[in-house]
């Protein structure tokens, strides 16, 4: 099920769009904190964002730019300001489409479906995974948090990737050791323990305390 984040400060429009989207089988959430749209984005981890231009505190162009620093997720602008300058500005800021208010709900759904199909039907796996404000970049095997990059070893990256892929579920030590075997290095119980300990120290030093939970006799999880 695709997740769609609606960044729209008009509650009536936002709730109407959310209802329409959910009726087509998507999962939708309306942003509530317009001071921290990035926090809402990272918490929901959507596959598409519907972005109003005229928002409190910072406009939609600002938040589009901030999202583009983290993700290539499709962003569709919604605005009653449909002059050419706004449309050009939206596209230049990294937007993927522009829908003028008031809009026909069927047109909105059709555009959403087309963009999702175009983006994900033939796309590779997403280039980033996020949790608790931390962003794992799979292009350069680094973790970003609070504007800082945390360098990871190959094994630390693979451990974190495996845990984030199964976020909320326990990943057994055997599964993690199999993941580390992909590095063509010998991996035993002690090697895994050492790598998890080092990874935790890096996470704690960056302010991500208790990011990885140990389930005794079972394995580890990120929740």
């Amino acid at each position: 099920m695709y997740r769609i984040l609606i960044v729209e400060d008009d509650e009536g429009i936002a709730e109407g769009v959310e209802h329409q989207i959910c009726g087509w089988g998507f999962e939708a959430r309306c942003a509530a904190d317009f001071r921290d749209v990035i926090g809402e984005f990272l918490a929901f981890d959507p596959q598409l964002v519907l972005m109003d231009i005229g928002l409190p505190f910072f406009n939609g162009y600002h938040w589009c730019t901030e999202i583009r620093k983290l993700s290539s997720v499709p962003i569709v602008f919604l605005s009653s300001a449909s002059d050419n300058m706004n449309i050009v500005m939206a596209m230049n800021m990294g937007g993927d489409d522009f829908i003028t208010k008031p809009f026909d709900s069927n047109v909105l759904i059709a555009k959403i479906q087309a963009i999702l199909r175009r983006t994900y039907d033939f796309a590779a796996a997403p280039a980033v995974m996020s949790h608790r404000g931390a962003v794992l970049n799979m292009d350069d095997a680094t973790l970003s948090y609070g504007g800082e990059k945390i360098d990871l070893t190959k094994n630390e990256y693979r451990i974190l990737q495996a845990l984030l892929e199964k976020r909320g579920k326990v990943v057994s030590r055997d599964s993690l050791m199999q993941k580390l075997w992909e590095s063509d290095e010998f991996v035993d119980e002690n090697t895994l323990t050492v790598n998890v300990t080092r990874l935790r120290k890096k996470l704690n030093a960056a302010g991500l305390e208790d990011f990885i939970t140990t389930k005794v006799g079972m394995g580890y999880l990120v929740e």
Side-chain angles (χ1 to χ4, degrees):
M1 182 185 296
Y2 289 112
R3 295 181 301 279
I4 299 173
L5 178 65
I6 304 162
V7 187
E8 165 63 68
D9 64 317
D10 185 312
E11 290 186 14
I13 294 176
E15 290 174 2
V17 170
E18 180 184 23
H19 178 75
Q20 186 76 13
I21 288 173
C22 290
W24 280 84
F26 300 112
E27 183 180 353
R29 178 185 294 181
C30 297
D33 186 355
F34 295 101
R35 290 182 184 270
D36 186 21
V37 171
I38 289 298
E40 301 254 359
F41 175 82
L42 292 173
F44 191 47
D45 194 21
Q47 278 84 41
L48 185 142
V49 177
L50 296 177
M51 180 77 71
D52 187 22
I53 293 177
L55 296 169
F57 309 112
F58 300 97
N59 63 30
Y61 298 138
H62 168 82
W63 292 119
C64 180
T65 301
E66 292 302 300
I67 290 172
R68 280 290 167 262
K69 293 177 182 177
L70 303 172
S71 173
S72 59
V73 63
I75 298 174
V76 177
F77 279 98
L78 307 176
S79 178
S80 56
S82 60
D83 58 274
N84 288 341
M85 183 57 69
N86 274 291
I87 295 173
V88 170
M89 187 80 151
M91 298 301 105
N92 286 341
M93 288 292 179
D96 294 270
D97 208 336
F98 191 105
I99 299 178
T100 303
K101 300 177 189 175
F103 47 78
D104 184 288
S105 59
N106 291 320
V107 172
L108 175 65
I109 293 298
K111 289 210 172 202
I112 288 172
Q113 290 174 324
I115 291 172
L116 290 173
R117 188 166 56 246
R118 193 165 63 236
T119 304
Y120 297 106
D121 279 3
F122 305 103
V128 298
M129 288 189 287
S130 60
H131 182 63
R132 280 177 49 184
V135 179
L136 182 67
N137 190 320
M138 288 173 276
D139 288 333
D140 61 6
T142 60
L143 186 70
S144 299
Y145 180 70
E148 301 292 330
K149 273 194 174 183
I150 306 164
D151 288 324
L152 304 173
T153 66
K154 184 163 53 178
N155 282 346
E156 290 165 355
Y157 165 74
R158 284 181 168 158
I159 291 169
L160 198 52
Q161 181 187 27
L163 294 175
L164 287 173
E165 284 174 348
K166 300 290 185 181
R167 184 172 51 188
K169 298 180 181 179
V170 176
V171 180
S172 70
R173 289 178 61 88
D174 285 343
S175 294
L176 288 175
M177 285 190 288
Q178 289 174 11
K179 185 77 172 176
L180 298 190
W181 262 107
E182 295 174 9
S183 64
D184 296 325
E185 298 173 4
F186 176 71
V187 177
D188 59 12
E189 290 274 351
N190 185 59
T191 303
L192 176 61
T193 300
V194 169
N195 277 277
V196 171
T197 299
R198 288 176 178 167
L199 175 57
R200 274 185 166 140
K201 286 182 179 178
K202 288 184 179 181
L203 295 173
N204 289 342
L208 289 165
E209 297 181 0
D210 302 320
F211 195 82
I212 298 174
T213 303
T214 300
K215 293 295 183 181
V216 179
M218 300 174 65
Y220 305 96
L221 83 157
V222 166
E223 59 181 348

